Amino acid sequence: MKNLGYLAVITASVLMVSSCATIITGTQASININGQQEEPVTIKTHKATYENVSLPFVAKVNKRHLNDKITVTSPNYVYRDFIPGRKTNGWVFGNIVIGGLIGLGIDAITGGLYDAQNKTIELNCSPKLDAPKTIEVPISPIAAPVDTIKTIH
């Protein structure tokens, strides 16, 4: 009976530490987004939309979705979309030693296997080009007939 108690304690200990990367580093990555403009922006990740935020801003991204595109938009500027990228979390190797396949499976499901490859993103933007405006140019009726009034595009 005593051996059964030891086995239970050992099994519980292995299961508790088996998902090492998830327990130590969590399932969310913090991505620091920096930019030069003071105008509020909208940042859209896989699951979250942050509206009217100022840069710099820290966006939370599920580690399973670090290879998904993040978009930044604003009324007056164009930003390039970016992908933070992911790399293997160093704590995963603790699973190989301590938790084995159970720990690796849990980390794979939760996203704990990964960490952000680029934790800080520097955004460059350019002003949006307005649509061409039509301007009527007044022409004296004496100088030209009415049907020759021109517009500039």
Side-chain angles (χ1 to χ4, degrees):
M1 190 67 162
K2 207 174 196 181
N3 288 339
L4 188 57
Y6 287 130
L7 182 61
V9 169
I10 291 171
T11 303
S13 298
V14 167
L15 289 176
M16 284 176 29
V17 297
S18 63
S19 58
C20 201
T22 299
I23 291 170
I24 302 295
T25 63
T27 60
Q28 299 284 318
S30 296
I31 307 298
N32 299 306
I33 303 170
N34 298 322
Q36 301 298 321
Q37 300 304 324
E38 294 181 13
E39 179 180 69
V41 297
T42 298
I43 299 171
K44 185 169 174 51
T45 66
H46 177 75
K47 287 195 175 187
T49 300
Y50 305 97
E51 294 182 350
N52 294 319
V53 298
S54 298
L55 299 177
F57 184 78
V58 178
K60 299 288 185 183
V61 179
N62 187 297
K63 290 181 177 182
R64 286 183 293 146
H65 299 289
L66 287 170
N67 279 339
D68 293 349
K69 178 173 58 171
I70 296 177
T71 58
V72 178
T73 58
S74 77
N76 296 311
Y77 294 93
V78 176
Y79 293 88
R80 282 192 163 175
D81 297 344
F82 65 92
I83 297 173
R86 64 184 184 195
K87 62 182 180 181
T88 303
N89 188 336
W91 286 100
V92 169
F93 299 108
N95 284 336
I96 296 169
V97 175
I98 299 171
L101 293 177
I102 295 172
L104 284 174
I106 292 170
D107 283 342
I109 291 169
T110 63
L113 283 176
Y114 309 110
D115 201 5
Q117 189 170 17
N118 298 305
K119 293 182 181 181
T120 301
I121 305 294
E122 297 292 334
L123 291 179
N124 294 317
C125 64
S126 57
K128 285 185 178 177
L129 300 175
D130 293 330
K133 296 179 181 177
T134 302
I135 301 172
E136 290 191 21
V137 178
I139 298 178
S140 167
I142 298 171
V146 175
D147 62 339
T148 60
I149 297 176
K150 298 180 181 181
T151 58
I152 300 173
H153 294 277

